[in-house]
């Protein structure tokens, strides 16, 4: 399945007429640099007595930890990565700052401007097609290959900068821990 077909799945609304661009706008590079933004979302579990989502990160951010979802926004389109078990790409698109519409257990936290882009929409879509092949949904792993790993790789490709370190810190710590445990297991032939 191609990335461009992924957007058309049941949960996303069709693009509005304002989102339409001419062929010339699609293929030509922009006259002014386009912002590249990392949108960060808090993970939430359940609701409080007032019906508001309970943020997982309420006490964790003070000690430099937190569990987040992230997506990269360019040209008003936000791209991220998630699990799917049908062998299709895990790369998907949502309207800017609207990932909570397809992932109800998150809430928008903040936007971090990462830099600017001088590539055309066509060049962006070409890059996304390449990453969509690499990031199949069945390769999603909470610790080793999650939405934040994808956002980081896309951001590096677009502006040459990594996303802020706090966004994926727990997964990075978990990966180090798992690798530490795995090395002795390999030594014993497990």
């Amino acid at each position: 399945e191609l990335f461009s077909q992924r957007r058309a799945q049941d949960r996303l609304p069709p693009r509005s007429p304002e989102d339409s661009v001419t062929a010339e706008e699609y293929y030509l590079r922009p006259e002014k640099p386009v912002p590249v933004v990392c949108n960060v979302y808090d993970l939430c579990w359940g609701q409080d007595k007032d019906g508001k989502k309970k943020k997982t990160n309420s006490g964790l951010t003070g000690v430099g930890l937190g569990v987040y979802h992230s997506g990269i926004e360019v040209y008003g389109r936000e791209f991220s990565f998630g699990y799917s078990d049908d062998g299709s790409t895990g790369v998907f698109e949502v309207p800017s700052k609207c990932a909570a519409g397809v992932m109800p257990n998150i809430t928008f936290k903040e936007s971090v401007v990462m830099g600017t882009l001088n590539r055309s929409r066509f060049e962006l879509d070409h890059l996304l097609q390449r990453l969509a092949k690499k990031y199949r949904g069945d390769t999603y792993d909470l610790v080793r290959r999650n939405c934040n790993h994808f956002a980081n790789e896309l951001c590096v490709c677009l502006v040459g900068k990594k996303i802020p370190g706090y966004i994926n810190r727990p997964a990075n710590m978990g990966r180090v821990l798992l690798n530490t445990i795995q090395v002795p297991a390999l030594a014993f032939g497990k």
Side-chain angles (χ1 to χ4, degrees):
E1 176 183 40
L2 297 175
F3 162 75
S4 57
Q5 294 168 326
R6 181 72 190 234
R7 185 181 202 294
Q9 289 183 344
D10 56 347
R11 297 181 299 193
L12 296 176
R15 288 191 180 145
S16 65
E18 308 80 74
D19 293 338
S20 299
V21 295
T22 65
E24 184 174 294
E25 291 170 321
Y26 182 73
Y27 288 105
L28 292 179
R29 291 187 171 182
E31 291 179 17
K32 294 187 222 171
V34 175
V36 174
V37 177
C38 180
N39 289 326
V40 184
Y41 299 82
D42 278 308
L43 268 61
C44 303
W45 304 108
Q47 296 180 342
D48 64 17
K49 60 184 177 187
D50 299 325
K52 293 183 181 179
K53 293 179 181 178
K54 290 183 190 176
K55 295 179 183 174
T56 304
N57 300 324
S58 29
L60 297 173
T61 54
V63 292
L65 294 174
V67 183
Y68 302 100
H69 169 77
S70 64
I72 300 296
E73 176 187 343
V74 187
Y75 286 113
R77 301 162 61 195
E78 185 173 324
F79 308 97
S80 192
F81 170 65
Y83 176 78
S84 69
D85 61 2
D86 61 4
S88 66
T89 182
V91 176
F92 63 93
E93 176 184 348
V94 294
S96 170
K97 298 177 191 72
C98 292
V102 294
M103 300 171 64
N105 290 333
I106 63 172
T107 185
F108 179 75
K109 175 182 172 53
E110 66 181 336
S111 292
V112 180
V113 177
M114 301 304 300
T116 58
L117 176 73
N118 287 312
R119 294 184 189 185
S120 69
R121 288 171 173 87
F122 171 77
E123 291 170 305
L124 173 64
D125 284 348
H126 184 71
L127 171 62
L128 288 163
Q129 290 285 355
R130 196 180 79 224
L131 290 175
K133 290 176 185 171
K134 181 178 178 182
Y135 281 87
R136 288 189 346 263
D138 57 3
T139 66
Y140 184 91
D141 180 295
L142 192 58
V143 174
R144 294 181 180 96
R145 190 180 184 83
N146 63 36
C147 58
N148 302 317
H149 293 104
F150 170 80
N152 191 62
E153 184 169 347
L154 178 57
C155 194
V156 168
C157 289
L158 295 175
V159 298
K161 287 173 61 178
K162 293 181 175 188
I163 63 173
Y166 76 90
I167 296 173
N168 210 25
R169 187 170 291 135
N172 291 335
M173 290 169 55
R175 188 183 71 246
V176 169
L177 179 64
L178 287 174
N179 288 343
T180 303
I181 293 168
Q182 190 175 17
V183 170
L186 288 173
F188 291 110
K190 300 279 179 190

